[in-house]
Amino acid sequence: MTDDQLIKMAKDAAQSAYAPYSHFKVGAALLTKEGTVYTGCNVENASYGASNCAERTAIFKAVSEGSTSFTKIAVIAADGSTAYPCGICLQVMQEFMPEGKILVELNGMVVSYNLKDLLPYGFTL
Ligand code: THU
């Protein structure tokens, strides 16, 4: 699975985004250590706080299917802007992919970050 392929899967997943409030469609594609890919999109709600980001949708899908260790996640915004994961999503990544990488698109290029760079002091018990 190349970085470009993972980005493409995130773009496809963004088509399913349910974002009638923000109109900001996001897609994610999560690579497990076994090599399986789980995708996700943001799912908003009339009670805004009940909304879920694309990254957490993908991670929760994977965990609910029995996969709990991930190596990489691609995150894209359908409008072509750069979508960096929010703080809640970074903390969820801390739980399941502390050594993982995050791929985003920046000016049409794929850029890779370590989770540790975006969340240097993530909470662990
Ligand atoms: N959103 C994501 O799904 N992932 C991100 O990385 C940034 C923000 C969603 C949440 C909400 O549905 C919309 O984008 C606007 O904040």
Side-chain angles (χ1 to χ4, degrees), residues 48-100:
Y48 297 170
S51 301
N52 204 54
C53 291
E55 299 91 315
R56 277 176 288 144
T57 301
I59 292 171
F60 294 157
K61 277 171 70 177
V63 173
S64 68
E65 300 283 329
S67 191
T68 55
S69 184
F70 315 128
T71 57
K72 215 177 262 190
I73 187 167
V75 188
I76 66 90
D79 70 1
S81 63
T82 305
Y84 286 104
C86 77
I88 296 174
C89 288
L90 291 173
Q91 179 60 37
V92 171
M93 291 174 200
Q94 172 74 43
E95 188 77 20
F96 301 108
M97 50 188 298
E99 309 298 327

Side-chain angles (χ1 to χ4, degrees), residues 90-91 94 98 114-123:
L90 291 173
Q91 179 60 37
Q94 172 74 43
N114 292 312
L115 175 63
K116 283 184 195 317
D117 296 328
L118 300 187
L119 188 71
Y121 298 102
F123 179 74

